[in-house]
């Protein structure tokens, strides 16, 4: 017996943004490696790339992730 079932169809009400096709889809249609989500609404999935840009900017400007020389580090300093 398999521990994990592979989902072949998505759940209604789950929204994803496909990075390869640059489109919003209800339920996962494309492989996980090619999508962001799940999101609660179609509107949230539509703005997935905006949210990713905002999070990247927060990370890039977070002093906890950068040493004095400006080289990126992990949270444990390495």
């Amino acid at each position: 017996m398999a521990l994990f079932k592979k989902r072949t169809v998505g759940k209604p009400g789950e929204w994803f943004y496909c990075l390869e096709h640059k489109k919003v889809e209800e339920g996962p249609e494309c492989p996980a490696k090619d999508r962001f989500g799940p999101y609660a609404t179609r509107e949230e999935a539509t703005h997935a790339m905006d949210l990713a840009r905002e999070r990247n900017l927060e990370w890039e400007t977070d002093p906890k992730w950068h040493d004095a020389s400006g080289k990126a580090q992990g949270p444990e300093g390495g």
Side-chain angles (χ1 to χ4, degrees):
M1 175 167 60
L3 293 176
F4 300 98
K5 276 187 173 178
K6 183 176 180 183
R7 280 175 43 176
T8 56
V9 295
K11 288 183 184 175
E14 280 187 337
W15 295 91
F16 295 85
Y17 182 80
C18 176
L19 299 167
E20 185 173 329
H21 299 109
K22 312 248 187 300
K23 69 173 187 139
V24 172
E25 49 191 43
E26 186 174 11
E29 294 174 18
C30 293
K33 68 179 182 67
D34 295 331
R35 67 176 190 254
F36 286 157
Y39 296 96
T41 65
R42 180 181 190 88
E43 182 70 18
E44 286 179 26
T46 301
H47 296 287
M49 294 304 295
D50 296 330
L51 181 58
R53 274 191 286 285
E54 289 171 15
R55 289 179 176 167
N56 285 343
L57 182 59
E58 286 175 19
W59 176 81
E60 290 167 0
T61 58
D62 186 341
K64 293 181 288 188
W65 285 88
H66 300 281
D67 66 9
S69 67
K71 294 180 184 173
Q73 307 190 110
E76 296 169 16

